[in-house]
Amino acid sequence: MVEINLHNSRTRKKEPFAPIDASDVRIYVCGPTVYDRAHLGNARPVVVFDLLYRLMRHVYGEEHVTYVRNFTDVDDRINATALARREAGAEGSLEELIAERSEETIRWYHEDMDALGALRPAIKGDQSRAEPRATQYIGQMIEMIEGLIASGHAYAAEGHVLFSVESYEDYGALSGRLVEDMIAGARVEVAPYKRNPMDFVLWKPSTDELPGWDSPWGRGRPGWHIECSAMSYELLGESFDIHGGGIDLQFPHHENEIAQSCCAHPKADFARVWMHNEMLQVEGKKMSKSLGNFFTVRDLLDQAVSGEVMRYVFMLTHYRSPMDWTEKKRNDAQKELGKWHRMKGDNQPGEVPQEILAALADDLNTPRAITELRRLADIGDIPGLLAGLELLGLKTVSSDMLDLLQAADREKLGELAESLAAARAAAMESKDFSKVDELKNALIAAGVEVRMSKAEIELLPGPGFDAAKLEGLE
């Protein structure tokens, strides 16, 4: 079996991966808070852990891998969005507007991540429970909080329940922070009911209007961190193999998850391996609305940037390195993917080349895998190239070759289709089809598939498409 090595954020080193149970490799990844569309930075962990999921399925078998990714559907930002809709005149109760917004955002998320070629999470092939929503597990969260209070790791105060950081001696091990240093530089709410400034909320009060659930501490709703602890426990058990997410979640979210879960189940490991992807920039700068470089996945899709191109640009940079999205990378990706797709012809994928599998097994080394794809293309190993693309989730993302063309090339094909239609209309009158044949033959020589019907003329790039040969045609 292929040996997989993964960088464990907790031990800060690359380690051989040995699953707890090879018949059920278990992965949990923190999913989105469903209040708005996913931006490009949100998409990076989706692609990273989709690659991990694909690798594990390839090595251990589809039915032997469990991948869970949650939806946070109880959050102040969701509430604020629903309140804004009501103030704008939307009909329905606040609860109905919140539910409507959550459903809408989850649908958007699925559409956009599907476009990136990301597989839906599944529990041994079953997708029905693999995307839990926080609101479906409130009872389990309350039960876990009660257990933490009973064991002395949490306390109730003024309608809140807080986790006592001092009760867990390993707090800070994941992020490498000392509690004393964190307290000294704390930028957290120092509420009067907190025993320690670093203590964090497990449960908080809720008004009658906002979403809330009855609990031993009054009507309220869970804190963010307890959600993932409760859902991962219910679906993956006390110990599971891998927990993933963006580096921005390492502290405090993942640190707090570890504290809660290890105190709730002190004989278990919680997650054995922690994986974090680095952040994304745009043209060398942090993505920001104020800088005008903030965009969602849907923004790019609407600009005819295919999901396959986005996915490919992500993979040009190793997941543990900061990534810079640039127009040059985007354009180069379109050209390279277009070239590879045009090489397909009648070929079918062969066996996955060992070099590509080895690259992924080496802590998801996608830059090395892409170097191997280029080598396969250069030597004409098309079945190997196609198999590699398929394993990387690139083969089936874009079925329309036009998605992978440069905008100028698409425009040129559109102009030539109009020219061919005009030439055909003139030929129908003059009965001289020489110009039609001349233009059609030139297009075919450039690798363009010419589809002519009575209603329309369609020009599509074929396996041997060469945009340079379109120059001079009109």
Side-chain angles (χ1 to χ4, degrees):
M1 182 174 285
V2 176
E3 180 178 287
I4 297 172
N5 289 277
L6 301 172
H7 185 274
N8 189 343
S9 299
R10 194 165 190 178
T11 61
R12 295 166 182 76
K13 62 183 180 180
K14 196 189 301 186
E15 303 168 340
F17 174 69
I20 298 170
D21 177 1
S23 68
D24 185 16
V25 179
R26 286 164 286 166
I27 305 167
Y28 185 91
V29 173
C30 291
T33 300
V34 289
Y35 68 97
D36 207 347
R37 282 197 178 274
H39 59 66
L40 196 61
N42 300 142
R44 192 181 190 197
V46 174
V47 172
V48 167
F49 293 105
D50 179 66
L51 286 165
L52 178 69
Y53 183 37
R54 288 172 180 271
L55 173 64
M56 294 297 180
R57 283 163 49 114
H58 182 85
V59 173
Y60 293 96
E62 180 179 337
E63 297 298 320
H64 300 294
V65 182
T66 289
Y67 175 28
V68 173
R69 184 183 65 212
N70 74 295
F71 286 115
T72 294
D73 60 346
V74 51
D75 182 85
D76 290 339
R77 288 168 293 184
I78 302 172
N79 297 343
T81 302
L83 284 166
R85 282 190 168 189
R86 188 176 68 177
E87 291 172 3
E91 296 182 357
S93 67
L94 187 60
E95 184 177 355
E96 290 170 338
L97 292 174
I98 288 171
E100 180 184 287
R101 181 60 169 180
S102 296
E103 290 296 332
E104 178 182 54
T105 308
I106 289 172
R107 176 173 55 80
W108 288 345
Y109 187 82
H110 277 148
E111 291 171 354
D112 294 348
M113 299 309 112
D114 288 350
L116 291 172
L119 300 171
R120 298 279 180 94
I123 298 175
K124 291 189 171 184
D126 178 12
Q127 296 180 354
S128 61
R129 296 187 302 127
E131 293 185 288
R133 303 184 186 192
T135 53
Q136 298 169 337
Y137 289 82
I138 300 296
Q140 291 88 337
M141 295 174 203
I142 291 173
E143 183 178 352
M144 183 174 281
I145 294 170
E146 287 180 313
L148 289 169
I149 292 175
S151 60
H153 293 290
Y155 58 94
E158 298 182 23
H160 296 75
V161 179
L162 297 109
F163 183 88
S164 175
V165 167
E166 291 179 338
S167 74
Y168 180 58
E169 63 180 12
D170 289 335
Y171 190 82
L174 178 68
S175 58
R177 304 181 183 208
L178 297 174
V179 175
E180 295 78 8
D181 293 342
M182 287 189 275
I183 293 173
R187 293 184 179 181
V188 294
E189 177 190 1
V190 185
Y193 48 78
K194 282 189 176 184
R195 297 176 183 172
N196 183 308
M198 294 307 299
D199 291 350
F200 57 88
V201 172
L202 301 175
W203 189 264
K204 56 187 174 181
S206 189
T207 66
D208 291 338
E209 185 181 41
L210 292 174
W213 292 263
D214 291 333
S215 80
W217 319 286
R219 176 181 165 79
R221 59 188 192 272
W224 175 33
H225 314 301
I226 196 68
E227 296 174 11
C228 288
S229 287
M231 288 185 285
S232 63
Y233 169 69
E234 289 297 320
L235 294 171
L236 303 178
E238 293 183 353
S239 301
F240 55 94
D241 295 297
I242 301 170
H243 195 314
I247 192 67
D248 56 317
L249 298 181
Q250 188 181 58
F251 184 87
H253 184 51
H254 290 164
E255 197 76 75
N256 291 351
E257 274 191 73
I258 290 172
Q260 297 162 164
S261 296
C262 288
C263 290
H265 310 289
K267 296 182 180 180
D269 296 323
F270 189 39
R272 289 192 172 182
V273 178
W274 286 83
M275 296 177 67
H276 294 94
N277 65 275
E278 264 291 352
M279 304 297 285
L280 175 143
Q281 296 179 321
V282 176
E283 301 290 350
K285 298 179 180 179
K286 183 178 178 180
M287 190 163 64
S288 165
K289 291 181 180 179
S290 62
L291 294 176
N293 64 353
F294 179 95
F295 41 83
T296 66
V297 172
R298 180 51 51 181
D299 289 336
L300 289 176
L301 292 171
D302 289 345
Q303 294 169 23
V305 179
S306 73
E308 185 169 22
V309 166
M310 285 183 252
R311 185 182 183 96
Y312 186 75
V313 172
F314 286 153
M315 291 194 297
L316 290 170
T317 304
H318 190 271
Y319 79 92
R320 287 195 295 110
S321 296
M323 182 207 142
D324 192 17
W325 173 274
T326 68
E327 283 298 301
K328 183 179 187 306
K329 287 181 182 177
R330 168 186 140 175
N331 291 333
D332 289 348
Q334 286 177 319
K335 290 178 182 177
E336 191 154 42
L337 286 169
K339 172 187 171 183
W340 291 344
H341 280 274
R342 291 191 294 272
M343 293 172 71
K344 178 182 177 181
D346 296 327
N347 290 285
Q348 295 299 318
E351 293 292 321
V352 175
Q354 286 302 308
E355 293 82 357
I356 289 179
L357 188 55
L360 278 189
D362 181 19
D363 196 31
L364 303 183
N365 192 335
T366 51
R368 178 176 147 199
I370 288 172
T371 297
E372 181 59 21
L373 289 178
R374 290 167 177 160
R375 188 188 71 83
L376 293 168
D378 289 342
I379 65 174
D381 183 355
I382 308 307
L385 172 66
L386 295 175
L389 289 169
E390 190 171 60
L391 180 61
L392 293 168
L394 289 166
K395 179 177 180 288
T396 58
V397 181
S398 178
S399 58
D400 187 349
M401 275 298 303
L402 286 172
D403 288 346
L404 297 170
L405 291 183
Q406 295 290 288
D409 294 338
R410 290 199 298 270
E411 185 177 346
K412 181 67 174 178
L413 284 177
E415 292 172 354
L416 289 171
E418 293 177 1
S419 296
L420 187 56
R424 182 175 67 170
M428 296 294 289
E429 295 290 331
S430 66
K431 307 304 179 184
D432 179 4
F433 286 85
S434 58
K435 186 173 181 180
V436 173
D437 292 338
E438 180 184 351
L439 182 52
K440 183 178 177 181
N441 290 335
L443 288 165
I444 293 172
V448 177
E449 181 183 349
V450 181
R451 298 180 182 178
M452 302 179 71
S453 67
K454 289 182 179 180
E456 65 177 352
I457 292 176
E458 190 175 13
L459 304 181
L460 297 173
F465 177 71
D466 185 351
K469 292 182 179 180
L470 298 180
E471 295 178 9
L473 299 182
E474 56 183 36

